[in-house]
Amino acid sequence: MSDKIAYSREGDIAILTVRNPPVNALSHAVRQGLSDGMDQAEADDGVRAVLIVGEGRAFFAGADITEFGKPPLEPHLPDLINRIEASPLLVVASMHGVSLGGGLEVALGCHYRISVPSAKVGLPEVHLGLIPGAGGTQRLPRLTGVEAALDVMTTGRHIGAGKAHELGIIDVIKDGDPKANGIAYARQLLEEGVSRRPVSEMDPPAPIDWDAAFDTILAKGRGQISPAWCVRAVQAAVEKPFAEGLKAERQIFYDLMQTDQRQGMIHSFFSERAVGNLPELKDVNPRGIQHIGVIGGGTMGAGIATAALLAGLEVTMLEMSAEAGQAARDRIERNLSGAVKRGRITPKQHDQILTHTLVVVTNYDKLQDVDLVIEAVFEDMEVKKKVFAELDRVCKPGAILASNTSYLNIDEIAATTSRPSDVLGLHFFSPAHVMKLLEVVVGDKTAPDVTATGFALGKMLGKISVRAGVCDGFIGNRILATYRTAADQMILDGASPYEIDNALEDFGFAMGPFAVADLAGLDIGWAVRKRKRAEGNVPKRDATYADTLCEQGHFGQKTGKGYYDYAAGPKARVPNPDVLPMIEADRARLGITPRAFTHEEIVRRYMAAMVNESAKVVGEGIARRPLDVDMTLLFGYGFPRYRGGPLKWADIVGLEPLLNDIKSYAAEDPDFWAPAPLLEQLVAENKTFDDLNKKG
Ligand code: 3H9
């Protein structure tokens, strides 16, 4: 038998113990071992029941995702589960940790299920672009009814043992050792003389309006298709005999396995985990962090402070006056109240944090004890330099000095201190206590343990941290500036902001670029444009409509108007009727005859600009690997997860046609559309961006 399964006996009970760390994924060896174990138990004299139990962290985390895309090896999971369920012996699952996907499906194939109270179950296949493919869509609704089963499958969320018990998924919850509990439960069942209880033999549940459910779930998925297909599989469970239902599930599972969405989702799954693994930091110990300082209590600073407080860190917030300090405290208080409402902290913890863990000061000298300080003041190099001079004066030796700048040169800031090796960028995204992305910006002189501490802090705060090098805008904002420029050019040439937003929202972005600009505040881009103009950096076709909007006091959602009018609330946007005339005035002034753009052309140009700049960012070493860009866009810029990120998307659509597009656009504007050397090289060598990820 495979060494992944240990076979043992406890009287008339055979025990199959799964040993496949870290999370007992159902790899080929595990499936084979379980199959052999069932054979052995059935052939073993005197055995009347089988217990399946996991060792280590989990019962099973599901099918082995690393095997997807490779030729499947027998025994296939659905057949194995049918084989377990059909056993003449009584089969019991004892669950702990997680039982996810195929893991829960194995449990559903057992005749009885017991778990510890901390266990969690779920069918998260939709997060991989799939549906449950080993009987989950057929067995779960027989236990829970259609509605609950669809909720579990289409959200992919993990449910606690208590809820799973309520839903009829788990029969018994008992604290203690899963193996001992399982043996005791199997013995009790044998003594009670209960019979086998295959879920497949239970009656199917009542039907629902399948088409309506399919349409509603499809609309919610913003282009992602797998959740809606769960509905069709469950429909088969209700309408067809069990074996036919299983076949229908299998077909949908296989069809989804062939999709780009499955590729994108699985790329996202592994990249999310790989992004924080930097070979150069493998043996580097981060510095200890317990107490952080935050300079500036505006939206960003208050968000950073909130994230740190929620992670259990002490925070000293510095503001310039008692009034500004109070306003910062009020912002943090509001953020923390939101965390209470969402059940993240208790009201008692909320009060405790505000009275003991947060200190608001107006004097730099009070920062002498902090382990790390993050500056989140106005985006102006001179202001930042003054702040860093003060920090250099007061902070203890070894304290890390971080800037939350989103554009400015970290090396220049570091050079104004006596300790440039202790300086780095920690670029949070607003609201910082909600957004998952953190760019860890590594300067020329940043010490490795300072970088490692940036990543350690990101982990503490529950962020996805991406290493970025120094350049204007780092990874994310630099790429954003380029695809925004492509969008702005299309506007001058004839597209409207609303056509562009709609096209990109149809592509899967949470929001189009103009809706995003309204949310972030149009004053941010205005300040950047003014800075660039002052540096003599004037675009060839100098549009002014965005500046005109700002001059009239329209900064987007926060002032109620921007590209859209938000009079009916932030979610009920309607185009601001003043915007198109401003754009038309620009076109007239610049002598441009507008032309029509299809949604397809909008997406092609926008994505070509995004991929080209992303390739430059990787080629220049600003991002270490293509996956670092992909995760930046996914977690900071609303890129659809099911497309895997811009460079995974590029691999899927093909690099050569993309390069051809870029070259054809370069005929209009050779500077802006200059092809990235890395993209040209990959096309010439017939390689993909993903090939570069594999190099580590
Ligand atoms: C399925 O079951 C299909 C069936 O319906 C039908 C089949 C026919 N496979 O996340 P972590 C690795 S689809 C392979 O850092 P945590 C992971 O990459 C599957 N590897 O830990 C990482 O490796 P490394 C449905 C897996 O404690 C290491 O384990 N199941 C798998 O934060 C630790 O993971 C899912 O979608 C896997 N299934 O979270 C569950 N799972 O150390 C996906 C994990 O080299 N997994 N690894 O970076 C999870 O949600 C989380 O990993 C889990 C642990 C909650 C289990």
Side-chain angles (χ1 to χ4, degrees):
M1 197 188 312
S2 135
D3 63 351
K4 303 286 179 190
I5 306 292
Y7 183 92
S8 60
R9 256 186 86 161
E10 203 48 57
D12 47 5
I13 302 166
I15 302 151
L16 307 185
T17 306
V18 189
R19 293 179 175 155
N20 190 24
V23 290
N24 288 337
L26 283 148
S27 63
H28 173 243
V30 171
R31 299 195 303 277
Q32 188 62 58
L34 283 171
S35 178
D36 294 345
M38 290 303 297
D39 290 347
Q40 186 171 346
E42 285 168 13
D44 205 347
D45 256 5
V47 167
R48 294 164 63 213
V50 180
L51 169 68
I52 302 179
V53 64
E55 217 171 65
R57 281 163 59 183
F59 180 63
F60 296 101
D64 187 336
I65 305 169
T66 59
E67 291 180 358
F68 288 179
K70 300 178 190 160
L73 294 175
E74 290 183 354
H76 304 310
L77 192 56
D79 302 335
L80 170 67
I81 293 173
N82 286 345
R83 189 254 173 278
I84 291 172
E85 193 187 49
S87 174
L89 304 174
L90 192 79
V91 190
V92 172
S94 182
M95 298 142 81
H96 76 289
V98 289
S99 307
L100 298 175
L104 177 58
E105 291 173 302
V106 169
L108 296 177
C110 297
H111 304 136
Y112 293 90
R113 289 161 289 281
I114 181 170
S115 90
V116 292
S118 57
K120 292 206 161 67
V121 305
L123 292 173
E125 285 87 342
V126 291
H127 296 314
L128 303 172
L130 297 167
I131 64 164
T137 66
Q138 307 301 299
R139 289 190 177 89
L140 188 66
R142 285 176 156 81
L143 289 175
T144 66
V146 168
E147 217 170 293
L150 279 179
D151 176 54
V152 171
M153 288 172 211
T154 59
T155 61
R157 68 192 164 87
H158 298 182
I159 341 173
K163 181 75 185 164
H165 179 248
E166 240 173 65
L167 289 173
I169 302 171
I170 292 173
D171 300 301
V172 174
I173 299 181
K174 191 174 171 203
D175 213 349
D177 173 53
K179 190 166 173 179
N181 284 349
I183 294 169
Y185 183 46
R187 166 122 321 116
Q188 178 199 329
L189 292 168
L190 288 174
E191 279 165 11
E192 286 170 1
V194 299
S195 43
R196 294 162 59 259
R197 192 191 51 175
V199 177
S200 65
E201 291 173 14
M202 295 178 183
D203 289 336
I208 58 164
D209 182 342
W210 303 109
D211 290 348
F214 183 89
D215 291 345
T216 310
I217 293 169
L218 190 63
K220 261 203 226 155
R222 265 207 220 103
Q224 198 199 335
I225 57 173
S226 59
W229 281 100
C230 293
V231 176
R232 294 300 181 213
V234 173
Q235 180 176 2
V238 172
E239 293 177 353
K240 294 176 192 280
F242 186 80
E244 292 300 307
L246 261 191
K247 267 194 210 155
E249 174 196 82
R250 196 85 197 123
Q251 189 59 50
I252 299 171
F253 181 83
Y254 268 125
D255 289 347
L256 290 171
M257 193 58 109
Q258 312 310 319
T259 59
D260 295 346
Q261 293 200 0
R262 191 273 299 166
Q263 277 197 58
M265 289 294 235
I266 288 183
H267 173 75
S268 303
F269 177 86
F270 284 115
S271 300
E272 194 179 328
R273 286 161 176 79
V275 74
N277 274 340
L278 295 180
E280 73 269 27
L281 297 183
K282 210 167 146 253
D283 298 316
V284 179
N285 286 326
R287 298 184 189 174
I289 303 278
Q290 273 176 354
H291 184 178
I292 74 161
V294 179
I295 315 295
T299 307
M300 184 53 98
I304 296 171
T306 307
L309 290 164
L310 288 172
L313 295 168
E314 288 170 58
V315 174
T316 298
M317 157 73 69
L318 180 100
E319 257 298 355
M320 290 300 99
S321 65
E323 298 76 59
Q326 186 56 47
R329 183 177 273 281
D330 291 346
R331 275 184 204 107
I332 296 171
E333 202 280 327
R334 279 197 297 275
N335 293 342
L336 291 172
S337 298
V340 173
K341 268 195 215 125
R342 288 191 302 277
R344 173 115 194 252
I345 50 170
T346 62
K348 195 171 160 204
Q349 285 170 314
H350 165 275
D351 297 348
Q352 178 92 13
I353 290 173
L354 284 171
T355 45
H356 296 294
T357 336
L358 170 69
V359 177
V360 181
V361 300
T362 53
N363 183 339
Y364 274 97
D365 293 325
K366 298 274 168 50
L367 293 169
Q368 61 193 6
D369 293 331
V370 300
D371 303 310
L372 178 147
V373 58
I374 305 170
E375 156 287 302
V377 303
F378 190 62
E379 281 289 79
D380 178 292
M381 183 54 96
E382 293 316 307
V383 177
K384 305 254 181 207
K385 283 182 179 170
K386 281 193 190 120
V387 170
F388 271 77
E390 285 296 291
L391 296 178
D392 195 17
R393 181 179 65 79
V394 300
C395 288
K396 67 185 181 191
I400 293 176
L401 313 184
S403 172
N404 177 55
T405 179
S406 38
Y407 288 94
L408 300 175
N409 187 326
I410 296 293
D411 291 328
E412 193 178 331
I413 295 174
T416 64
T417 71
S418 63
R419 37 176 139 176
S421 61
D422 290 342
V423 176
L424 86 169
L426 290 176
H427 180 212
F428 289 82
F429 288 71
S430 193
H433 57 297
V434 177
M435 293 291 286
K436 291 282 275 182
L437 182 64
L438 174 66
E439 279 180 313
V440 177
V441 186
V442 181
D444 274 353
K445 300 221 161 71
T446 306
D449 64 338
V450 170
T451 308
T453 313
F455 276 91
L457 178 71
K459 197 164 194 181
M460 280 182 211
L461 306 189
K463 305 291 179 205
I464 300 290
S465 306
V466 179
R467 182 199 186 282
V470 176
C471 69
D472 194 356
F474 314 126
I475 298 178
N477 281 346
R478 171 168 160 185
I479 297 169
L480 164 73
T482 303
Y483 63 76
R484 258 308 302 254
T485 303
D488 293 342
Q489 287 178 352
M490 285 190 271
I491 287 193
L492 282 180
D493 287 327
S496 81
Y498 316 109
E499 286 168 332
I500 293 179
D501 276 0
N502 289 340
L504 291 158
E505 286 166 15
D506 285 350
F507 177 83
F509 276 93
M511 282 173 142
F514 297 96
V516 169
D518 271 358
L519 178 66
L522 301 182
D523 46 332
I524 299 177
W526 192 29
V528 173
R529 285 192 299 278
K530 282 197 274 195
R531 168 168 68 85
K532 290 201 167 164
R533 283 216 177 90
E535 290 165 357
N537 196 345
V538 181
K540 258 192 236 150
R541 300 195 299 177
D542 193 14
T544 56
Y545 59 89
D547 302 330
T548 315
L549 260 178
C550 292
E551 281 155 16
Q552 294 180 357
H554 302 316
F555 294 162
Q557 284 198 19
K558 61 186 167 192
T559 58
K561 244 191 208 179
Y563 289 100
Y564 295 89
D565 188 327
Y566 299 93
K571 293 215 168 108
R573 67 181 199 199
V574 290
N576 174 356
D578 300 336
V579 170
L580 289 182
M582 290 178 196
I583 294 173
E584 277 155 17
D586 268 333
R587 288 180 192 143
R589 183 174 50 79
L590 296 166
I592 298 166
T593 311
R595 69 177 178 90
F597 280 81
T598 61
H599 276 204
E600 194 206 334
E601 185 178 0
I602 289 171
V603 169
R604 269 172 72 177
R605 281 185 176 253
Y606 193 81
M607 288 306 300
M610 190 184 296
V611 170
N612 201 34
E613 193 64 25
S614 299
K616 289 179 188 172
V617 160
V618 176
E620 291 168 23
I622 300 296
R624 181 61 61 79
R625 301 152 295 187
L627 69 85
D628 294 301
V629 171
D630 285 341
M631 295 305 100
T632 302
L633 271 289
L634 228 61
F635 288 99
Y637 297 82
F639 194 93
R641 186 179 173 90
Y642 62 80
R643 294 195 190 273
L647 295 179
K648 182 67 190 174
W649 175 84
D651 279 348
I652 291 173
V653 299
L655 301 190
E656 195 166 356
L658 256 168
L659 181 60
N660 290 340
D661 272 356
I662 292 166
K663 284 181 175 163
S664 73
Y665 305 147
E668 298 159 15
D669 185 344
D671 292 341
F672 180 76
W673 289 105
L678 178 62
L679 181 59
E680 292 190 303
Q681 184 192 332
L682 290 174
V683 170
E685 293 173 358
N686 200 15
K687 287 192 176 145
T688 63
F689 285 109
D690 215 21
D691 292 331
L692 303 179
N693 288 327
K694 289 177 191 125
K695 283 204 295 196

